Amino acid sequence: AQSVAQPEDQVNVAEGNPLTVKCTYSVSGNPYLFWYVQYPNRGLQFLLKYITGDNLVKGSYGFEAEFNKSQTSFHLKKPSALVSDSALYFCAVRGPLEAGSYQLTFGKGTKLSVIP
Amino acid sequence: DGGITQSPKYLFRKEGQNVTLSCEQNLNHDAMYWYRQDPGQGLRLIYYSQIVNDFQKGDIAEGYSVSREKKESFPLTVTSAQKNPTAFYLCASSQLQATLGANVLTFGAGSRLTVL
């Protein structure tokens, strides 16, 4: 079975400071990893994904994430937080297709608050 | 603009009533999904469909039903058998499962169902 853990329910960061939202995963085989963002009363929006290749993945709105296989982590980062980054962030994982894994498993979400 | 339209945005239902949530996409995506979102629980998959006239149960299908008569449409019925239906419901779509575009989901804005 595949699973995702987002250990922090909420992260507070001052505007202009770097931010990190943590994610660890468990899956059989090589993982497919994703970050999505949700603004209040809206659907989720895709931010970035890791399929293979470079461990540092760059995505939308200046976000990036680093895949660390040994630590089974895929933390979301941004060098300088904006107030408009305040939202709910979801990490998601899927196992390899050859293992019959087609669906994403989402974490419970981390609420990011950027303080002016 | 291409996207996913969910309706209604807000819905109130009396106990014992069935209710149908609409989901329409004009992205020409083959796969469509229904998720349920509850505070602090992330997203849980209810049903998904990869082709017309075919769909599969997700993790929490009990008390729900779907149909896929057209590629563009994937309505969800919340039946009276669903014991705790109050939640935020999200519809999503993606390219075919077995492609690298799979799991980059496009979400609708959601439908909030409240049972009175």
Side-chain angles (χ1 to χ4, degrees):
Chain A
Q2 57 195 37
S3 65
V4 174
Q6 293 183 242
E8 301 155 318
D9 292 334
Q10 178 145 358
V11 170
N12 297 322
V13 64
E15 186 177 23
N17 282 3
L19 69 87
T20 299
V21 182
K22 296 180 180 178
C23 171
T24 59
Y25 67 89
S26 174
V27 71
S28 297
N30 293 322
Y32 291 41
L33 293 156
F34 303 79
W35 276 101
Y36 286 82
V37 60
Q38 184 181 33
Y39 298 99
N41 294 312
R42 303 293 298 175
L44 279 69
Q45 297 176 28
F46 169 74
L47 273 181
L48 51 80
K49 66 179 178 181
Y50 172 82
I51 303 296
T52 186
D54 194 347
N55 289 344
L56 185 63
V57 178
K58 294 188 182 297
S60 306
Y61 312 120
F63 284 94
E64 58 189 27
E66 185 167 13
F67 171 61
N68 187 317
K69 189 172 184 178
S70 63
Q71 296 185 4
T72 62
S73 67
F74 190 56
H75 300 331
L76 180 70
K77 300 181 180 184
K78 188 174 182 180
S80 178
L82 301 173
V83 173
S84 57
D85 293 330
S86 298
L88 190 57
Y89 290 81
F90 290 95
C91 182
V93 69
R94 200 201 76 197
L97 289 175
E98 53 268 27
S101 175
Y102 293 101
Q103 302 307 322
L104 288 179
T105 296
F106 285 86
K108 294 186 177 182
T110 298
K111 183 179 179 181
L112 174 67
S113 293
V114 180
I115 303 162
Chain B
D1 289 337
I4 296 183
T5 301
Q6 288 187 241
S7 62
K9 190 170 179 65
Y10 298 96
L11 187 61
F12 297 89
R13 186 193 95 176
K14 293 181 180 179
E15 283 192 24
Q17 289 182 334
N18 292 355
V19 62
T20 297
L21 307 180
S22 170
C23 177
E24 303 278 334
Q25 56 102 354
N26 61 3
L27 299 165
N28 199 32
H29 282 166
D30 290 282
M32 296 188 74
Y33 313 80
W34 275 104
Y35 288 91
R36 170 177 170 145
Q37 183 177 14
D38 297 283
Q41 294 195 43
L43 274 69
R44 293 181 289 171
L45 182 64
I46 304 173
Y47 269 98
Y48 64 99
S49 167
Q50 298 183 51
I51 57 173
V52 174
N53 293 324
D54 187 50
F55 46 83
Q56 288 77 40
K57 293 181 179 180
D59 299 321
I60 56 165
E62 185 175 354
Y64 300 97
S65 65
V66 293
S67 62
R68 188 88 187 273
E69 298 178 359
K70 299 186 300 181
K71 185 176 182 178
E72 301 80 15
S73 179
F74 192 42
L76 173 74
T77 297
V78 184
T79 75
S80 57
Q82 169 50 235
K83 295 179 180 177
N84 185 20
T86 294
F88 190 52
Y89 291 88
L90 289 163
C91 179
S93 69
S94 76
Q95 297 176 16
L96 279 174
Q97 292 287 286
T99 67
L100 290 180
N103 304 130
V104 178
L105 303 176
T106 299
F107 283 84
S111 293
R112 188 169 297 280
L113 173 63
T114 302
V115 174
L116 303 174

